[in-house]
Amino acid sequence: MCGIVGYVGARDAVPVIIEGLRRLEYRGYDSAGIAVVDDSRLQRRRSVGKLKNLEESLRAEPLRGAFGVGHTRWATHGRPSEENAHPHQDCQGRLVVVHNGIIENHLPLKARLAASGHRFVTQTDTEVVAHLVESHLGAGSLEQAVRQALPEMEGIYALVLLDTREPQTLVAARRGPPLVVGLGEGEHFLASDVPALLPYTRDFIFLDDGDVAIVTPGAVRITDAEGRAVSRRPQRIAWDPVQAEKGGYRHFMLKEIHEQPRAVRDTLLGRISLEEGEVHLEELGKAAEELRRAKRVLLLACGTSWHAALIGKYLLEQVSQVPAEVDYGSEFRYRTPIVNPETLAVAISQSGETADTLAAFREAKKLGALPIAICNVQGSMLTREAEGTLLTHAGPEIGVASTKAFTSQLAALALLALHLGRLRGTLTAERCRELLQSLARVPHLMENALQASARIEEMSRFFAQAQDFLFLGRGVNYPIALEGALKLKEISYIHAEGYPAGEMKHGPIALIDENMPVVALCPPGRTYEKMLSNVQEVKARGGRLLAITAQGDREVPKILEQPSDIIIDVPPVEEVWSPLVMVLPLQLLAYHTAVRAGRDVDQPRNLAKSVTVE
C-alpha cells in the first residue's frame, strides 16, 4: 500500500528518494515525508496530501543528504496530518523509521515505553517502533537494537531505519509487506516496489519474511532475526523504465489499456506450438510433471484477479474437463476447505504480494495441494513460495485499476487449461491446434477493438452523471460483467453491479428505468439467444442500453431503436477467448466516464495498488 524508498551512496539522496516516491504514487497515500542525514545532522520534512506538496516544501527550503529514507503514507492509525506522516523519530532525534504494515500490539508497547520516559507526539503505531528501537540502542549498533526490538512487535511490517551515528547505513526488516533491495555500483537502494528503482538498477533482491538487511554503499548483508547469515539470489528485472512512464498518454491507465495486445502477445510468446498443437510450460519446473496427478483445481485470488479466476474456472472445465472452483483469498481460511494431494492450487496475483491471497495459498499448501502461481513479478513472495510459476509479461502496471495484468492473467489461464487438457488426454492435438490458432490471433483482434476508444469517449458524456449502472453477461462473459462494474465503480465512483443475466428477474429488474444505463454483453455463442431475451426485457422496462456485440451482429440493432441506446461492436472471436476482447470496451467506458466526471483515474480515492495487509 504505502511507499518506501531508501538510498545510500555517492549521490544526493533527496532527488533519488523523491523520484522513487513519485514512481510509487500509484500505491495510494495521503501524506509524504523524507529524512536525510548530512554531516551527522538529521533533517526531516513532511507534508499532507500529494507528493507535490512535499516537493514544493523542498523547493522553498532545500535539503541535502548523503543517505536517507522517504515514505508515502496511507493512514491506518491516526488521521492524515503532517504530525502523523512518516518518517518518525525517537526522543533524541537520533534515528528515524518508515514503516508499511500494522503493529498490532502498539498500545501496550506505547504504554510501557511512555512509563519509562519516552515522549510520543503522534497517534501512529509506527512511532512506537522508533522508541522501541531507541530503548535497545544503548552503546550497541542500530542492527543489534532492531534485532532486539523485532520479537517484541506483533503484526506485519516492512521497516527501514537509519541512525545519525552510523553513516551510510540503512537497516531493513520484513514480515508481510514487500521490500526489495536495489543493487548498484557503489550505491544501494531500498523500496517497497520495483518501479521506484527502475531508473537506477534492474538487479533486485526480494527480502523474505524474517529477513533483516544491512545496506551500505559497498555491501548488502542479509540475516535472519537471530543474526545468522542468509543468502538471497538477486533477480534481474527485464522491465524497461520507459514502460513505467506515460509515453504520451494522458494517464497510466489509458496507456496500460492500450498495452494489452502486447502484454497478451508476450504472455503467449514462446509457450505455444501451432504445428504440434501443444503448450510448453517447462518453466513450472518439477510442478510441470506433477500436474498429471491433479483431479481438481482450486483458484485463489482477490479483486480483479478473482474475476480472472472465474473465467479460469470456465476455461479449465470447458477445455480441460477438470473440476475447478474459485475462492476469495480473504475467505478461504475461514471455512473448512477440502484439499488433498490431488488438488492443484493456483494463486493469481499481479504483484505476488497480496496478503489474503498469500495466506490462502499457504493454507492450501499446508493441506497438501500442489501449489503453483500466476504472477507478474518474478521474485515476489508468491513466486518464491510456489512449486512453479507461470509468469505473465504485462510489465509494470502503475494504474490502480488493473487492466493489462487482468488480460495477461487470462492468457496464462488459457495456456494452463490447454496444457492440462493435453496432459489429461481430454483435449486432442487437433482441437488444441485450432484453439491455439484462434488464441494467437487474439492480440491483433484486441488492437482492432481498442479503436473504439474515440467513440466511447464521445458517448461517455451520456453516462458521467449516472448514479447507477447494471452490467449483464452470461457464461464465460458473466465475470466480464463483474469486472466492468468493478472498473467503473473503482475510478468513477458510480455505483455499479455486475450480474449473471439469467438472474436479472430475481431482483435487479426492479431497478431498471430510464435513468439506469444497462450494459449487455452479447457475443455470439451458446448464450447469445438468451442474452437477446434479456436485452428485450430491459427495453420493455424503459432501460437505457449499451450493448457490446460482435461485428456483423444483425439481431441486437433490431431491438435497440431509441437514440439513447448504443452499440459497440468488437471483432468476432472463438467463444472461449471472447473475454479478452469483450472486456476492452468496458475498461474504456470506465476510463472515459471517470475522466469526464473529473476523477483522479490513476489514483482513485481510498484505493491502493497492492493490498499487502489483511
Side-chain angles (χ1 to χ4, degrees), residues 55 141 175-176 178 215 352 373 392 395 468 484 538 559 587 591:
E55 293 179 281
S141 69
R175 184 166 74 201
V215 181
T392 56
D468 302 278
V538 172
I559 305 172
Q587 294 171 345
Y591 170 79

Side-chain angles (χ1 to χ4, degrees), residues 138-168:
S141 69
L142 178 62
E143 174 190 349
Q144 292 169 332
V146 169
R147 214 182 299 285
Q148 289 174 313
L150 291 178
E152 299 183 57
M153 295 188 294
E154 298 172 8
I156 60 172
Y157 50 75
L159 298 168
V160 180
L161 302 97
L162 63 79
D163 184 343
T164 58
R165 301 183 191 182
E166 296 186 29
Q168 292 284 51

Side-chain angles (χ1 to χ4, degrees), residues 354-494:
T354 306
D356 287 318
T357 302
L358 279 168
F361 193 55
R362 289 164 180 159
E363 181 70 12
K365 284 175 64 177
K366 187 173 74 175
L367 294 172
L370 171 63
I372 69 170
I374 293 175
C375 186
N376 191 39
V377 182
Q378 176 65 52
S380 61
M381 183 65 80
L382 181 60
T383 67
R384 297 201 300 277
E385 296 196 7
E387 289 289 325
T389 298
L390 185 52
L391 284 172
T392 56
H393 296 295
E397 187 176 68
I398 305 302
V400 166
S402 181
T403 53
K404 64 178 181 175
F406 173 71
T407 46
S408 60
Q409 286 170 353
L410 295 187
L413 285 162
L415 293 175
L416 180 62
L418 292 165
H419 184 63
L420 277 176
R422 294 295 295 130
L423 277 180
R424 292 167 53 83
T426 53
L427 183 65
T428 66
E430 181 180 355
R431 178 57 178 154
C432 187
R433 187 180 301 109
E434 292 173 356
L435 288 170
L436 284 172
Q437 287 172 342
S438 60
L439 181 59
R441 289 193 294 270
V442 165
H444 176 66
L445 301 178
M446 294 172 75
E447 290 169 349
N448 290 341
L450 289 170
Q451 293 175 10
S453 182
R455 182 160 179 246
I456 295 172
E457 179 180 14
E458 173 63 23
M459 75 184 198
S460 66
R461 72 180 190 273
F462 298 113
F463 299 121
Q465 303 307 315
Q467 299 297 309
D468 302 278
F469 263 78
L470 182 62
F471 289 73
L472 300 174
R474 283 181 179 260
V476 71
N477 282 294
Y478 154 55
I480 295 300
L482 297 177
E483 176 63 11
L486 176 62
K487 285 291 154 288
L488 187 69
K489 72 181 80 170
E490 277 183 312
I491 62 171
S492 73
Y493 316 149
I494 296 172

Side-chain angles (χ1 to χ4, degrees), residues 97-117:
V97 59
V98 291
H99 164 226
N100 291 350
I102 297 172
I103 306 302
E104 294 173 355
N105 63 332
H106 74 282
L107 289 177
L109 287 174
K110 185 175 184 177
R112 190 189 86 195
L113 290 163
S116 64

Side-chain angles (χ1 to χ4, degrees), residues 105-382:
N105 63 332
H106 74 282
L107 289 177
L109 287 174
K110 185 175 184 177
R112 190 189 86 195
L113 290 163
S116 64
H118 289 267
R119 301 181 308 278
F120 288 86
V121 296
T122 81
Q123 302 166 308
T124 71
D125 56 334
T126 302
E127 189 188 8
V128 171
V129 179
H131 292 281
L132 183 61
V133 173
E134 179 189 21
S135 72
H136 290 290
L137 265 174
S141 69
L142 178 62
E143 174 190 349
Q144 292 169 332
V146 169
R147 214 182 299 285
Q148 289 174 313
L150 291 178
E152 299 183 57
M153 295 188 294
E154 298 172 8
I156 60 172
Y157 50 75
L159 298 168
V160 180
L161 302 97
L162 63 79
D163 184 343
T164 58
R165 301 183 191 182
E166 296 186 29
Q168 292 284 51
T169 301
L170 299 177
V171 177
R174 172 185 179 167
R175 184 166 74 201
L179 201 56
V180 300
V181 181
L183 305 178
E185 293 291 333
E187 61 182 0
H188 289 113
F189 312 82
L190 282 157
S192 48
D193 205 355
V194 166
L197 307 180
L198 285 176
Y200 311 106
T201 183
R202 303 281 189 85
D203 297 312
F204 294 86
I205 294 173
F206 291 77
L207 297 183
D208 268 349
D209 279 354
D211 283 353
V212 176
I214 299 85
V215 181
T216 64
V220 175
R221 181 166 52 88
I222 301 175
T223 70
D224 63 15
E226 284 71 43
R228 294 184 292 264
V230 296
S231 177
R232 298 281 178 253
R233 185 170 59 87
Q235 305 274 348
R236 174 158 277 262
I237 300 299
W239 297 348
D240 188 324
V242 176
Q243 288 183 287
E245 302 293 347
K246 291 181 183 175
Y249 288 93
R250 184 175 178 183
H251 296 96
F252 281 113
M253 183 180 178
L254 184 60
K255 171 178 178 278
E256 289 157 4
I257 287 172
H258 284 273
E259 287 178 333
Q260 288 177 105
R262 190 275 309 159
V264 169
R265 189 178 287 116
D266 287 354
T267 299
L268 300 177
L269 195 64
R271 291 167 167 164
I272 63 177
S273 171
L274 298 181
E275 289 185 9
E276 300 172 359
E278 296 289 349
V279 173
H280 300 290
L281 300 182
E282 289 83 359
E283 64 199 272
L284 291 176
K286 63 180 182 180
E289 291 301 316
E290 297 182 46
L291 288 178
R292 296 178 185 275
R293 78 172 193 238
K295 294 185 177 178
R296 171 174 163 264
V297 180
L298 173 64
L299 299 156
L300 302 168
C302 297
T304 285
S305 295
W306 187 77
H307 296 157
L310 290 176
I311 295 170
K313 170 183 169 65
Y314 183 98
L315 297 178
L316 287 161
E317 294 183 344
Q318 175 77 10
V319 175
S320 315
Q321 297 179 37
V322 58
E325 61 182 277
V326 180
D327 255 294
Y328 280 113
S330 56
E331 292 292 328
F332 180 72
R333 291 173 297 149
Y334 302 107
R335 60 183 184 85
T336 308
I338 300 172
V339 176
N340 58 44
E342 293 180 333
T343 302
L344 172 64
V346 183
I348 308 171
S349 169
Q350 188 282 137
S351 67
E353 302 288 353
T354 306
D356 287 318
T357 302
L358 279 168
F361 193 55
R362 289 164 180 159
E363 181 70 12
K365 284 175 64 177
K366 187 173 74 175
L367 294 172
L370 171 63
I372 69 170
I374 293 175
C375 186
N376 191 39
V377 182
Q378 176 65 52
S380 61
M381 183 65 80
L382 181 60

